[in-house]
């Protein structure tokens, strides 16, 4: 397992001449390798700078890193400096020897240097064919250095096992033998939790297998010309995957620590480096705290007649919306709602939904959104968990009541709303968010995003999804107009696009999955949407599919911002402007923290990890919520004290994996608990998905891991689902073949299932529960042309059945088959409507498919239209 090449730089006496050195090299090469046409020659280069200068050092490094020409075993370069002949100069020229690892090892290179310096006669050196058995005994210093390197690399990579290549001598090697005789052993360090310093230092090196690739982390043989010694860290550029000074820092800790010290206590970062790392993800700002309703009142006073809220054909001005909310607040008081009470809002998307939210805040209460589209049992469970005093389902019950008495209201730090998120136990968690967090969010981005009364926003998302908090208050607290998008329009990308054009929407918020569908509708529409700002969030963004959007919406006219956020940290935490450059690079950056927010990436012990190393994303600052409603133990576990905050505020442990880059930007790497084991290997499904998305034939992808029941590890299987990109075709075999070229065998999906679209939740995120069984869908059939027969010869039911078979990929469809039971979703419904029109049937509104989901009922409904 020799290195591709390695080098040695030797300072020569000032009196050394190039002629003499070239002659010595020729004599030695003729003796060692007679008849070899690729015998080395001496190259002489002049460096117009002193030997101690940075220019000279750079030249030496460049020569040392340059590989040997193919077919050659050795290159010798004499570097002469501007000051070497000057009286009093520190030394003479440098000789840089670079050898092919398969021809000469490090000890051989030192022998060559000794011969060329004149310390050893060429005849004393004998070429010897290898290999020889290796001596796997490591001296104490080499063992400690290999341990330090492994531990440091493990912290950067988040790996529990790290392999280090350690140079070891050939056993019984003659003292002056020349060749690739020495080799490498593999120091496989186990860094699992619970391991100690003694465990690590007791690691025994192994001989690598013949076909084993050398580890990326490696030590180098000592370089003194006259003697051998313990292995050292390589010094060439790019030869070490982690900072050398951090390896040395860990080595010192290994020397000073008792043998029973857990490895988790050793840290590659010094105290100063830890402090710098904590500051890297901080955007200091102390926003002035405000209540949401106070900031809204300021907008009412400034522009009472300006349009505030549109839903369908109804538009309310700021003054009208304020008056409506005041009336509803009076009704809440009449129904017994008092400051601090929780009020459930189960209202459809309408002006009354927004007015009721504002009314609850005016009543100094806390609103709990209950999505009417959710199952009744789920809504009841959520309301019961929150302990709501009142659930508003009909705003009419809140009208016609006397004005409530004037009373002091809570401070900006008092709760404004509770949004429930899914819990690992199946019980939703209510996140309690104060007024000040929301106003701080709007204030943090107002200037950067250019938010103004000239903007028109959409409220696209469910009130039970915290993206709606950003949409509603981002518009109303900056004087803009908010357009509430009804349920059916959110399910039709074409209708939603038409709304964007009709209402002249300028600020749009979308999950990446939903935006992909909207972008497709935009491409097909005659007029592009005139949006100036798109905010993407709610799930990881794959930037490559955005290239088509940039073609139609140049970056100087429409800004795309990718925002990472969590309900527990008030919608958004970071922001990154995405340009064509990031899209081409497949960037995974979610940008820098918002002003007033902080991001730290910590290890399992709460310490900052090195720059670029993975760890848990921990969020602090203005957006951290008050905690989980009625869940003190869970709150204490996830909302932890911030040791650096003199005000005593808390941090939120996100459970997300990320890394901070040197410029302070954050990369989101998925959930920590996404890791799974496949045949003993720990993998991230996100990595498999990323490789699939790099395929030009794939526009969207999802990855699941299934099997392994009954402790049968061999049954664990990775399944992939892909949506083809327009044009390249829909061959899952080709997609898998490409993935197999980029992934190790244990990460290649066992199946690749082609879908026309990924199933999404009501919030626009991937819905894994609705993915079909892997591999059961056949390759989608291309839409057939409309029947050539005269109208009336083919029944609508027969045409519709063919459409369903093509879209859903099923062999046969009967009149009682239900579209949704066959794996249908809103995206399939859109395609069915398109194909039905192409084949001569009337258009199928999405609402109709919900009302008549079976093939027979839908056929009868269509027949009545013909």
């Amino acid at each position: 397992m020799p290195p591709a090449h390695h080098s040695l730089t030797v300072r020569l006496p000032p009196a050394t001449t190039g002629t003499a050195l070239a002659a010595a090299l020729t004599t030695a090469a003729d003796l060692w390798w007679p008849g070899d046409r690729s015998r080395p020659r001496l190259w002489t280069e002049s460096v117009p700078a002193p030997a101690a200068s940075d220019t000279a050092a750079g030249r030496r490094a460049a020569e040392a890193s340059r590989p040997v020409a193919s077919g050659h075993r050795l290159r010798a370069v004499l570097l002469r400096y501007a000051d070497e002949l000057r009286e009093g100069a520190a030394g003479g020229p440098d000789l840089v020897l670079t050898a092919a690892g398969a021809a000469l090892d490090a000890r051989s290179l030192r022998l060559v240097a000794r011969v060329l310096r004149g310390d050893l006669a060429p005849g004393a050196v004998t070429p010897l064919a290898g290999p020889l058995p290796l001596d796997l005994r490591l001296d104490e210093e080499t063992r400690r250095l290999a341990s330090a390197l492994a531990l440091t690399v493990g912290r950067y990579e988040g790996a529990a096992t790290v392999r280090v290549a350690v140079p070891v001598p050939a056993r019984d090697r003659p003292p002056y033998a020349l060749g690739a005789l020495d080799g490498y052993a593999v120091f496989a360090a186990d860094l699992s939790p619970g391991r100690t310093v003694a465990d690590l230092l007791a690691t025994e090196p192994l001989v690598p297998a013949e076909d084993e690739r050398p580890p990326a982390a490696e030590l180098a043989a000592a370089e003194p010309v006259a003697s051998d010694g313990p292995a050292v860290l390589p010094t060439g550029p790019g030869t070490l995957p982690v900072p050398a000074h951090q390896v040395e820092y860990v080595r010192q800790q290994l020397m000073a620590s008792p043998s029973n010290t857990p490895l988790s206590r050793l840290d590659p970062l010094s105290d100063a480096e830890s402090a710098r790392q904590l500051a890297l993800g901080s955007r200091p700002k102390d926003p002035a705290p405000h209540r949401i309703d106070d900031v809204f009142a300021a907008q009412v006073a400034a522009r009472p007649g300006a349009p505030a809220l549109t839903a369908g054909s109804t538009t309310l001005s700021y003054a009208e919306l304020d008056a409506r909310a005041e009336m509803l607040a009076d009704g809440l008081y009449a129904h017994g709602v008092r400051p601090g009470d929780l009020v459930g809002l189960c209202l459809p998307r309408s002006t009354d939904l927004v007015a009721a939210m504002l009314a609850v805040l005016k009543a100094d209460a806390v609103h709990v959104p209950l999505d009417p589209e959710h199952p009744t049992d789920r809504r009841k469970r959520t309301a019961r968990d929150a302990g709501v005093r009142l659930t508003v389902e009909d705003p009419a019950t809140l009208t016609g009541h006397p004005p409530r008495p004037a009373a002091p209201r809570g401070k900006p730090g008092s709760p404004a709303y509770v949004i429930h998120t899914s819990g690992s136990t199946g019980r939703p968690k209510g996140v309690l968010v104060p007024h000040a967090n929301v106003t701080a969010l709007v204030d943090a981005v107002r200037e950067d995003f250019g938010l103004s009364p000239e903007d028109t926003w959409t409220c696209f998302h469910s009130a039970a999804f915290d993206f709606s908090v950003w949409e509603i208050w981002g518009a109303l607290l900056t004087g803009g107009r908010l357009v509430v998008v009804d349920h059916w329009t959110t399910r039709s990308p074409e209708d939603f696009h038409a709304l964007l054009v009709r209402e002249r929407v300028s600020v749009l918020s979308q999950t990446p999955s939903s935006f992909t569908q909207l972008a497709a509708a935009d491409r097909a529409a005659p007029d592009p949407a005139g949006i100036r700002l798109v905010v993407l969030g709610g799930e990881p963004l794959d930037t490559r599919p955005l290239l088509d959007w940039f073609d139609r919406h140049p970056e100087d006219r429409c800004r795309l911002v990718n925002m990472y956020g969590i309900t527990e940290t008030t919608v958004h935490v970071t922001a990154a402007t995405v340009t064509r450059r990031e899209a081409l690079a497949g960037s995974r950056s979610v940008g820098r923290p918002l002003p007033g927010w902080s991001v730290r990436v910590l290890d399992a012990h709460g310490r900052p990890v090195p720059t670029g190393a993975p760890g848990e994303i921990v969020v602090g600052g203005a957006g951290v919520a008050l905690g989980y409603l009625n869940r003190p133990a869970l709150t204490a576990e996830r909302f932890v004290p911030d040791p650096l905050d003199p005000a005593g505020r808390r941090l939120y442990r996100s459970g997300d994996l990320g890394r901070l880059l040197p410029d302070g930007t954050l990369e989101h790497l998925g959930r920590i608990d996404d890791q799974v084991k496949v045949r003993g290997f720990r993998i991230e499904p996100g990595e498999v998905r990323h490789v699939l998305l790099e395929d030009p034939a794939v526009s969207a992808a999802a990855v699941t891991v299934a099997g392994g029941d009954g402790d049968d590890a061999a049954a664990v299987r990775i399944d992939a689902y892909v949506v083809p990109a327009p044009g390249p075709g829909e061959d899952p075999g080709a997609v898998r073949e490409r993935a197999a070229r980029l992934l190790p065998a244990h990460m290649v999906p066992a199946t690749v299932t082609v879908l026309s679209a990924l199933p999404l939740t009501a919030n626009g995120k991937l819905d894994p529960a609705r993915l079909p069984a892997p591999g059961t869908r056949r390759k989608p059939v291309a839409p057939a042309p409309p029947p050539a027969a005269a109208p009336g010869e083919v029944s609508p039911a027969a045409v519709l059945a063919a459409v369903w078979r093509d879209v859903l990929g099923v062999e046969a469809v009967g009149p009682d088959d239900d579209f949704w039971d066959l794996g249908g979703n809103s995206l399939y419904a859109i395609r069915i409507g398109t194909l039905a029109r192409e084949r001569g049937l009337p258009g199928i509104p999405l609402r109709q498919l919900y009302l008549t989901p079976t093939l027979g009922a839908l056929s009868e409904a269509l027949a009545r239209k013909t």
Side-chain angles (χ1 to χ4, degrees):
M1 193 179 59
H5 70 277
H6 53 102
S7 64
L8 176 65
T9 301
V10 182
R11 179 59 55 87
L12 300 175
T16 302
T17 67
T19 302
L21 195 63
L25 179 60
T26 299
T27 298
D30 286 342
L31 180 63
W32 297 336
W33 306 300
D36 191 341
R37 294 183 178 181
S38 59
R39 289 195 301 275
R41 51 165 292 191
L42 180 70
W43 301 87
T44 302
E45 301 285 347
S46 297
V47 180
S53 67
D54 291 342
T55 299
R59 188 60 178 273
R60 287 191 291 270
E63 286 296 341
S65 62
R66 196 156 54 90
V68 179
S70 177
H72 292 251
R73 58 170 57 87
L74 178 67
R75 184 180 68 250
V77 179
L78 181 66
L79 297 179
R80 310 211 73 118
Y81 305 110
D83 65 339
E84 70 180 60
L85 298 179
R86 193 182 69 227
E87 186 176 351
D94 278 324
L95 176 63
V96 182
L97 297 173
T98 307
L104 297 171
D105 55 24
R107 199 174 341 186
S108 296
L109 206 54
R110 293 197 292 273
L111 288 174
V112 172
R114 293 179 63 188
V115 169
L116 297 182
R117 281 174 59 101
D119 300 334
L120 189 66
V125 178
T126 304
L128 185 65
L132 296 176
L134 297 177
D135 186 350
L136 298 181
R137 294 171 298 177
L138 299 184
D139 61 87
E140 185 177 347
E141 279 299 314
T142 298
R143 186 180 294 273
R144 189 178 294 117
L145 187 60
S147 298
L149 178 57
L151 187 60
T152 307
V153 170
R155 293 294 168 81
Y156 270 86
E157 296 182 351
T161 302
V162 175
R163 297 162 62 248
V164 175
V166 181
V168 292
R171 195 167 61 237
D172 303 324
R173 172 178 179 153
Y176 298 113
L178 198 67
L181 307 174
D182 293 341
Y184 281 83
V186 175
F187 187 88
D190 183 355
L191 309 176
S192 302
R195 301 280 290 177
T196 65
V197 167
D199 295 332
L200 180 59
L201 293 177
T203 302
E204 293 297 336
L206 306 172
V207 176
E210 287 187 12
D211 58 348
E212 185 176 358
R213 296 178 60 184
E218 62 179 0
L219 299 181
E223 290 191 358
V225 173
S227 64
D228 295 322
V232 297
L233 294 177
T235 57
T239 56
L240 202 61
V242 292
H245 74 276
Q246 292 180 0
V247 179
E248 174 59 23
Y249 187 56
V250 172
R251 189 187 71 84
Q252 293 173 6
Q253 294 173 68
L254 286 170
M255 290 180 62
S257 300
S259 60
N260 63 349
T261 302
L263 296 179
S264 59
R265 293 187 183 176
L266 307 185
D267 191 353
L269 299 183
S270 65
D271 291 343
E273 287 177 312
S274 292
R276 288 196 296 270
Q277 192 66 17
L278 289 174
L280 185 62
S282 178
R283 294 286 298 279
K285 184 181 180 181
D286 194 8
H290 296 288
R291 285 180 60 94
I292 296 171
D293 45 331
D294 285 345
V295 179
F296 176 78
Q299 293 295 337
V300 174
R303 49 186 62 82
L309 184 62
T310 297
S313 60
T314 301
T315 295
L316 300 180
S317 69
Y318 271 85
E320 290 170 334
L321 175 58
D322 186 60
R324 177 69 173 168
E326 284 289 344
M327 180 176 62
L328 296 180
D330 294 338
L332 291 171
Y333 184 85
H335 281 75
V337 173
R338 296 297 182 264
D341 285 347
L342 277 74
V343 178
L345 297 180
C346 187
L347 298 169
R349 303 171 193 228
S350 61
T351 55
D352 276 336
L353 172 62
V354 178
M357 286 183 178
L358 186 56
V360 173
L361 301 182
K362 284 176 173 287
D364 203 16
V366 184
H367 68 79
V368 182
L370 304 170
D371 194 331
E373 298 171 24
H374 288 173
T376 302
D377 287 346
R378 178 181 177 86
R379 297 200 306 269
K380 290 180 178 178
R381 188 181 301 117
T382 300
R384 187 167 55 249
D385 178 81
V388 300
R389 172 177 287 275
L390 173 72
T391 296
V392 178
E393 297 181 339
D394 182 3
T397 62
L398 301 181
T399 60
H401 297 281
R404 65 194 184 281
R409 289 171 302 147
K411 296 181 179 180
S414 59
Y417 64 86
V418 173
I419 282 185
H420 285 74
T421 65
S422 61
S424 58
T425 63
R427 175 187 173 191
K429 310 183 295 289
V431 182
L432 199 60
V433 181
H435 286 255
N437 289 26
V438 177
T439 59
L441 172 64
V442 176
D443 183 59
V445 299
R446 183 194 308 262
E447 183 177 346
D448 181 29
F449 289 1
L451 305 180
S452 77
E454 304 300 319
D455 283 318
T456 296
W457 297 56
T458 55
C459 181
F460 178 89
H461 298 93
S462 164
F465 180 29
D466 72 330
F467 218 160
S468 65
V469 172
W470 158 253
E471 294 177 305
I472 294 169
W473 302 118
L476 297 180
L477 300 188
T478 59
R481 180 171 69 104
L482 179 68
V483 178
V484 180
V485 185
D486 69 85
H487 168 81
W488 295 108
T489 300
T490 65
R491 296 298 187 268
S492 170
E494 291 80 9
D495 291 345
F496 182 45
H497 184 272
L499 178 145
L500 297 177
V501 174
R502 182 175 65 251
E503 299 290 350
R504 298 186 177 181
V505 171
S506 60
V507 178
L508 173 68
S509 296
Q510 291 274 273
T511 63
S513 296
S514 295
F515 185 68
T516 299
Q517 302 164 32
L518 177 64
D522 184 77
R523 286 195 301 270
D527 298 317
I531 304 166
R532 71 164 187 85
L533 175 66
V534 176
V535 173
L536 301 173
E539 63 183 355
L541 170 68
D542 301 304
T543 55
R544 185 178 56 82
L546 297 175
L547 291 171
D548 286 343
W549 175 266
F550 288 128
D551 290 339
R552 195 165 164 90
H553 299 268
E555 299 162 48
D556 59 348
R557 284 188 280 172
C558 180
R559 178 181 177 187
L560 257 67
V561 180
N562 182 30
M563 301 187 79
Y564 162 73
I566 319 159
T567 302
E568 290 85 344
T569 56
T570 317
V571 192
H572 298 307
V573 174
T574 68
T577 296
V578 182
T579 66
R580 183 179 292 274
R581 179 177 180 179
E582 282 77 26
L584 287 168
S587 172
R588 302 173 73 176
S589 172
V590 293
R592 301 197 66 198
L594 303 177
W597 273 247
S598 71
V599 168
R600 302 170 193 178
V601 179
L602 307 180
D603 65 15
H605 303 278
R607 301 172 304 194
V609 300
T611 303
E616 182 179 16
I617 299 173
V618 178
V619 180
V624 178
L626 298 174
Y628 293 116
L629 183 67
N630 303 325
R631 307 281 286 274
L634 187 59
T635 296
E637 176 188 340
R638 305 309 294 267
F639 293 85
V640 297
D642 183 355
L644 301 180
D645 189 345
R649 289 183 295 189
R650 293 180 296 176
L651 301 168
Y652 175 70
R653 296 179 53 216
S654 71
D656 286 338
L657 193 68
R659 57 173 165 239
L660 274 177
L661 303 183
D663 62 355
T665 59
L666 178 71
E667 280 194 351
H668 182 258
L669 304 177
R671 291 290 299 174
I672 291 175
D673 54 12
D674 272 351
Q675 285 191 346
V676 293
K677 257 194 173 183
V678 177
R679 299 198 295 278
F681 294 92
R682 290 192 179 276
I683 72 161
E684 285 282 349
E687 182 180 350
V688 181
R689 179 171 177 263
H690 185 69
V691 168
L692 294 171
L693 287 167
E694 289 177 334
D695 191 334
V698 175
S699 64
V703 174
T704 63
V705 179
D709 297 334
D711 296 326
D712 181 7
V716 176
R717 182 186 69 247
I718 301 173
D719 297 308
Y721 298 84
V722 299
V723 177
E730 303 177 352
D731 182 7
V735 172
R736 189 179 186 278
E737 288 171 5
R738 181 186 177 279
R741 295 197 300 269
L742 299 172
L743 293 169
H746 63 274
M747 293 181 69
V748 177
T751 65
V752 176
T753 304
V754 176
L755 304 176
S756 60
L758 296 178
L760 305 179
T761 66
N763 292 336
K765 297 183 179 182
L766 177 72
D767 188 354
R770 293 173 56 204
L771 288 168
T776 58
R777 291 192 80 247
R778 61 178 170 80
K779 182 178 178 181
V781 178
E793 293 186 6
V794 179
S795 70
V799 175
L800 190 59
V803 170
W804 280 31
R805 289 196 299 269
D806 291 347
V807 172
L808 297 174
V810 293
E811 296 296 333
V813 182
D816 295 327
D817 283 331
D818 186 289
F819 172 77
W820 309 104
D821 291 342
L822 291 175
N825 54 51
S826 59
L827 303 179
Y828 290 157
I830 294 168
R831 185 174 179 188
I832 280 178
T834 301
L835 291 183
R837 284 192 298 269
E838 291 178 358
R839 300 185 187 184
L841 296 179
I844 305 175
L846 184 62
R847 183 191 299 266
Q848 184 67 60
L849 198 48
Y850 276 94
L851 294 174
T852 54
T854 65
L855 179 66
L858 183 60
S859 299
E860 291 177 4
L862 292 180
R864 289 193 292 268
K865 292 184 179 182
T866 57

